[in-house]
Amino acid sequence: MPDLDNATTALLTVECQNGVVGGESALPELAKEARDSGMLGRVAALADAARGAGVQVLHAVAERRPDGRGANTNARLFRAAGKLPVRQLSGSPAVEVAAPIVVAEQDLVVRRLHGLSPMAGTDLDALLRNLGIRTLVVTGVSSNIAIPNTVFDAVNHGYRVVVPADAIAGVPASCTGEVIRNSLSLVAAITTTEALLMQWAPAP
């Protein structure tokens, strides 16, 4: 992994929200994998270390209006999501960032009502450019869909992307490794949480 310029690097957490990876998740299998694998704890540690190093932290949250207005219906995934017992309704606890990840005062939260990626049709790209960001560290869920979409969109927008392999998760667990090896490693720098924490550690 190349050295990161903290002033032009941002850390993004993707869909690390209560309704996805929390105790009352609409997707209990994914939530269990995120917890049991240690992914959530590693993302929390990365966010804390990033702030200490002056790296901007952003949280991407997926939500929907109670009436579903503006939400996609053009794929089976979207239609199924509208029928789940836990819905990601705007303003509800389901769309709050899940513990142990903390949203600090200086963090930015980007919300979307549609699509598969926090970068498509949202404020994320504009915010990153206004902050002078050139490198995006992508963490969160799921390695099946949202993470690859985020990485590809960021690369298409001209960002250098870094993915800590142990700070993303999907189901089945084997999917994450396959996606990293066969897709993400072709377009992003793959690293580990430990390596990033060392880069962001306070100077001795």
Side-chain angles (χ1 to χ4, degrees):
M1 183 187 72
D3 286 337
L4 302 180
D5 176 0
N6 293 350
T8 61
T9 298
L11 173 75
L12 178 68
T13 76
V14 178
E15 296 184 23
C16 291
Q17 58 200 76
N18 288 327
V20 176
V21 295
E24 301 297 324
S25 171
L27 304 164
E29 187 179 0
L30 177 58
K32 185 176 188 301
E33 174 62 21
R35 291 192 307 269
D36 293 355
S37 68
M39 185 220 79
L40 275 179
R42 285 188 283 271
V43 173
L46 284 170
D48 289 343
R51 293 186 201 100
V55 171
Q56 179 67 52
V57 177
L58 302 97
H59 307 276
V61 174
E63 56 185 48
R64 62 187 290 127
R65 289 166 50 111
D67 61 8
R69 191 173 298 272
N72 289 68
T73 59
N74 58 333
R76 186 176 67 174
L77 174 68
F78 300 123
R79 294 190 292 273
K83 299 175 183 176
L84 291 171
V86 178
R87 301 171 67 200
Q88 316 298 323
L89 298 182
S90 300
S92 72
V95 299
E96 295 176 0
V97 174
I101 302 168
V102 172
V103 179
E105 184 177 357
Q106 66 267 37
D107 294 0
L108 295 172
V109 179
V110 179
R111 303 182 181 277
R112 77 177 197 274
L113 292 171
H114 61 86
L116 299 170
S117 166
M119 179 126 349
T122 72
D123 293 335
L124 181 56
D125 181 46
L127 293 173
L128 293 173
R129 292 188 188 280
N130 287 346
L131 290 163
I133 300 302
R134 301 289 301 166
T135 301
L136 190 62
V137 179
V138 176
T139 66
V141 295
S142 73
S143 58
N144 308 71
I145 295 175
I147 295 297
N149 269 271
T150 305
V151 171
F152 296 148
D153 282 350
V155 170
N156 286 333
H157 280 74
Y159 297 96
R160 182 175 63 166
V161 179
V162 175
V163 178
D166 54 354
I168 65 172
V171 289
S174 59
C175 173
T176 300
E178 291 296 324
V179 168
I180 290 170
R181 281 189 295 274
N182 297 308
S183 296
L184 300 186
S185 65
L186 302 179
V187 296
I190 306 302
T191 187
T192 64
T193 295
E194 182 179 9
L196 283 170
L197 291 177
M198 289 178 64
Q199 284 216 23
W200 292 339

